[in-house]
Amino acid sequence: MMESLMVKDLCKTYIVNKRQNNVLRNINMEIKQGEMAAVMGPSGSGKSTLLYTVSGMDDLTAGRVNFFGKDIGSLTPAQMSSLRLDEMGFIFQQMYMLKNLTIYDNIILPAYQSGNGRGREKRKEINSRAKELMHKLGISEIAEHDINEVSGGQLQRACICRSLINRPKMIFADEPTGALNQQNSGEVMKELNRINREGTTILLVTHDMKVAAKCDRVLYIEDGSIKGEYIFWKYNGPEENREREKKLSVWLMEMGF
């Protein structure tokens, strides 16, 4: 498998009150195309900063990030914005959606904004894809609802639809189940696993061992550095949950989590 994301000697530093805060220190990692990888670590370890930096949402201080052959550190802000819109999908713990739009309109908005979404025929294709995605994720019935008229699980599945509307090469997810109860968390992970099996590469940050155990690989970050990784086999279904969670739990204890 080819690398979808290659990170070499990545550093991220913030200056706070004239003091230097080294949040990421010489990060080296690769995410293969079609892989589903999780990043775990204690609070303040740099998990979310890593996700934001490798996806171009935040500038890197030093090092290189290569996304499907593109050096994101060399892109202009306009080029980076286009790359995020057209080739990346994002899912966050806080389900950011526009309050004045319906669920359906929120889902199609990124595609309409894309350079590939201009013209009547293109928009007809976008509308059909949005309906197909909503059907796959079981939320067709809430298409015309406002965002405050649906459950947290439904809203997060709508966010997944939105992240997929432009057929991204890779999805970046920051605590995608963090605001959900156990049942809704399980439903969202079921959809992410299905999307991954269909070929979409996923990198997610989580504090939840049950979520990480459904991934192919877990990276452990502490004090801004990757301290180790645990490699699973491809997730096949809930019958494996107990075994995978047990193996991951033992490893995380060894890592000091």
Side-chain angles (χ1 to χ4, degrees):
M1 289 188 293
M2 69 172 286
E3 292 82 9
S4 56
L5 185 71
M6 293 186 64
V7 180
K8 179 70 173 176
D9 298 329
L10 175 64
C11 297
K12 178 63 183 177
T13 299
Y14 293 105
I15 305 297
V16 180
N17 295 327
K18 298 183 179 181
R19 296 184 63 182
Q20 185 169 293
N21 183 12
N22 300 312
V23 183
L24 299 177
R25 307 164 185 262
N26 298 316
I27 298 285
N28 291 280
M29 69 179 195
E30 297 179 3
I31 307 297
K32 301 289 187 182
Q33 188 170 357
E35 186 176 18
M36 185 169 177
V39 179
M40 296 192 75
S43 297
S45 59
K47 301 187 297 295
S48 294
T49 301
L50 175 62
L51 191 81
Y52 297 155
T53 307
V54 300
S55 62
M57 287 192 290
D58 204 352
D59 294 332
L60 54 86
T61 302
R64 294 188 66 183
V65 177
N66 188 291
F67 179 83
F68 285 89
K70 296 177 181 177
D71 180 1
I72 70 169
S74 68
L75 301 180
T76 66
Q79 289 171 331
M80 192 64 242
S81 179
S82 294
L83 182 68
R84 284 196 301 267
L85 180 61
D86 296 332
E87 299 186 34
M88 299 176 178
F90 295 90
I91 307 167
F92 302 100
Q93 178 177 351
Q94 298 301 322
M95 300 162 226
Y96 301 108
M97 284 198 166
L98 297 177
K99 295 179 180 179
N100 60 326
L101 297 181
T102 64
I103 296 293
Y104 176 78
D105 287 340
N106 267 287
I107 290 170
I108 64 174
L109 181 62
Y112 275 33
Q113 291 177 322
S114 169
N116 299 321
R118 295 168 186 161
R120 182 177 296 179
E121 290 303 312
K122 284 290 185 181
R123 293 198 169 184
K124 283 175 67 176
E125 292 177 15
I126 292 167
N127 294 345
S128 295
R129 176 160 173 76
K131 291 172 183 176
E132 177 188 354
L133 287 169
M134 294 185 78
H135 176 72
K136 277 187 174 182
L137 272 78
I139 55 171
S140 297
E141 74 281 1
I142 67 167
E144 298 305 316
H145 285 49
D146 292 335
I147 65 171
N148 58 358
E149 295 177 330
V150 300
S151 70
Q154 289 173 321
L155 192 59
Q156 192 62 299
R157 279 180 278 168
C159 290
I160 294 173
C161 291
R162 182 181 60 184
S163 75
L164 292 169
I165 193 67
N166 283 336
R167 303 181 188 276
K169 293 179 178 178
M170 187 169 179
I171 286 179
F172 297 91
D174 188 12
E175 299 283 5
T177 64
L180 303 177
N181 61 32
Q182 188 171 345
Q183 179 180 346
N184 286 331
S185 173
E187 291 173 358
V188 165
M189 284 306 299
K190 180 180 177 181
E191 297 303 334
L192 289 177
N193 283 122
R194 180 179 62 77
I195 291 162
N196 176 246
R197 285 195 298 272
E198 292 175 354
T200 303
T201 308
I202 299 175
L203 176 64
L204 65 86
V205 163
T206 184
H207 67 276
D208 190 337
M209 185 182 65
K210 293 180 182 294
V211 169
K214 294 180 175 69
C215 296
D216 305 335
R217 184 161 56 110
V218 180
L219 302 169
Y220 189 82
I221 187 171
E222 187 175 22
D223 296 330
S225 300
I226 293 177
K227 302 296 187 182
E229 67 174 5
Y230 189 89
I231 301 173
F232 279 112
W233 59 95
K234 202 72 177 175
Y235 182 70
N236 293 308
E239 67 279 358
E240 298 180 352
N241 287 355
R242 188 171 183 179
E243 180 183 1
R244 292 170 76 99
E245 289 167 14
K246 184 177 180 181
K247 289 178 179 293
L248 183 58
S249 176
V250 171
W251 180 74
L252 287 173
M253 288 180 65
E254 292 173 354
M255 298 301 296
F257 184 62

